[in-house]
Amino acid sequence: MRRVSQTSKVMDGVFQGITAVCASSPVVFLLAIAGIVLFQSLPTIEYMGWGFITHITWNIGNTYGAVVHKGNLTVPAGATYGALPFIVGTLASSVIAIVIGVPISILTAFILAYQVRGWIGVVFSMVVELLAGIPSVIFGLWGLLIVAPWVGQRFGPFLAHLFSAVPWLRGPVGAGYGLLTSGIVLSLMIIPIITATTRDLLAQVPVLTREGGIGLGMTSWEVVRLICLPYIREGLVGSIALGWGRAMGETMAVLMVSGSSMNYLPSNIYSPIQTMAAFIANQLDSAMTDSTHMALHALAELALVLMAMTLITNLMARALVSRTGAKRSMRAGVKV
């Protein structure tokens, strides 16, 4: 018995140690990645300062010729790094994806949770979840071959004619490779994430609560709007934040349909753009030719900005969820 007890204590200690390492590994990995990216960004931070996020022009300079010395830094002649167009492209395309994707996701989740039963519901849910596993390059190819020509030839001219009084919606439309196409492709990529999460949240709404609303004469839409959505508000905000983070960090699909513009801000919703993630992937080879490595440091700072934006988005969503939960608890306490 004593041996068994000692063995159990040893195994319990090993188990606690393993679980502690596993539980702390996400924080360790996050801090390690942030620290490495920040360290690699320091030369560009010193060289550009706040101009990195306020300037428009990105030019890696003469990587095969003369260099300029600024303090302890060695920079190619003519090099300047302005990330504002990529920040705007990232935010604008992800916002369009959220505007398109969130209503579709909520309505699809409602149908899967309440309207479809049996094997049909299982098949539809499986299809939605399979969409999340499709590689992004396939979405990009679909956008390149189908969405971009459709936007350039049909949908774009229709919007430009219908909303000709709105500056951001009137032409020129161009060939279809740009902000609107990127937003449409990204919306399809985030719909499975938001839909699957929202469907599971709607399934947790008590049946008696929903049936009580129907018993009071509410329509299906009123039950969802007045009972189900308020009940899952916190989780829904979290799922939207998760989809937004996915949209901001997407690389290959956006790279294939965005138009890969540089050094100017989009003038309308059809303008070619470039997101931060796509630009990093697109410029990595040319940055490797810089003997001063300043171009690589600039891409590292761009990654740092993208990481900061994603973290801020998730923190804002968490703060909103916490605030909403606190208000709900306060109201519950007052009612009691």
Side-chain angles (χ1 to χ4, degrees):
M1 294 293 293
R2 184 174 299 176
R3 287 184 177 179
V4 174
S5 177
Q6 291 178 350
T7 303
S8 299
K9 290 181 178 180
V10 172
M11 294 303 297
D12 185 62
V14 172
F15 175 74
Q16 290 182 359
I18 294 174
T19 53
V21 171
C22 294
S24 61
S25 59
V27 178
V28 173
F29 292 153
L30 178 61
L31 293 177
I33 294 172
I36 292 172
V37 174
L38 176 60
F39 177 76
Q40 293 295 327
S41 305
L42 292 178
T44 316
I45 294 174
E46 181 181 351
Y47 177 64
M48 292 296 299
W50 289 106
F52 184 83
I53 60 176
T54 58
H55 290 179
I56 295 178
T57 302
W58 184 289
N59 184 2
I60 64 174
N62 187 0
T63 57
Y64 299 100
V67 297
V68 176
H69 297 280
K70 183 179 179 181
N72 297 325
L73 300 176
T74 302
V75 186
T80 182
Y81 310 100
L84 183 59
F86 314 126
I87 297 174
V88 172
T90 300
L91 291 175
S93 60
S94 61
V95 168
I96 292 175
I98 289 295
V99 170
I100 297 174
V102 169
I104 297 175
S105 300
I106 294 176
L107 294 176
T108 304
F110 164 71
I111 293 174
L112 294 177
Y114 299 146
Q115 299 297 318
V116 180
R117 293 289 185 268
W119 66 270
I120 299 179
V122 174
V123 172
F124 281 8
S125 298
M126 187 180 302
V127 170
V128 170
E129 293 172 357
L130 285 175
L131 278 175
I134 296 177
S136 60
V137 69
I138 297 179
F139 282 104
L141 186 62
W142 169 72
L144 182 70
L145 299 177
I146 304 298
V147 180
W150 175 68
V151 169
Q153 299 171 13
R154 296 181 180 275
F155 188 59
F158 169 76
L159 281 183
H161 176 73
L162 187 64
F163 299 100
S164 58
V166 182
W168 267 73
L169 291 177
R170 63 190 179 200
V173 176
Y177 301 96
L179 179 57
L180 180 58
T181 304
S182 300
I184 294 174
V185 173
L186 286 175
S187 68
L188 187 65
M189 298 181 70
I190 66 174
I191 282 174
I193 300 173
I194 303 177
T195 299
T197 306
T198 307
R199 178 203 59 200
D200 295 339
L201 292 170
L202 289 172
Q204 297 176 10
V205 179
V207 177
L208 293 179
T209 304
R210 292 189 283 110
E211 291 181 349
I214 296 174
L216 291 174
M218 291 184 178
T219 63
S220 299
W221 165 241
E222 289 174 336
V223 170
V224 172
R225 182 171 60 90
L226 300 176
I227 296 177
C228 297
L229 290 182
Y231 189 89
I232 67 168
R233 184 182 294 121
E234 292 87 351
L236 181 61
V237 172
S239 67
I240 293 174
L242 184 64
W244 196 358
R246 168 72 191 277
M248 286 195 296
E250 180 52 44
T251 304
M252 287 307 301
V254 178
L255 179 62
M256 298 171 70
V257 300
S258 63
S260 301
S261 68
M262 287 182 63
N263 301 336
Y264 79 95
L265 297 175
S267 58
N268 57 38
I269 201 173
Y270 318 103
S271 296
I273 62 165
Q274 185 86 284
T275 64
M276 290 184 281
F279 182 74
I280 291 172
N282 192 27
Q283 292 294 311
L284 190 57
D285 285 343
S286 60
M288 296 293 291
T289 63
D290 184 0
S291 60
T292 67
H293 304 295
M294 188 58 67
L296 285 175
H297 295 312
L299 293 181
E301 186 175 358
L302 194 62
L304 181 65
V305 174
L306 177 59
M307 185 177 182
M309 289 172 52
T310 305
L311 291 177
I312 290 172
T313 300
N314 284 276
L315 289 175
M316 289 175 59
R318 186 172 294 274
L320 181 61
V321 168
S322 300
R323 184 178 179 182
T324 305
K327 287 183 178 180
R328 177 179 293 181
S329 300
M330 188 178 298
R331 288 196 298 265
V334 171
K335 290 180 181 180
V336 173

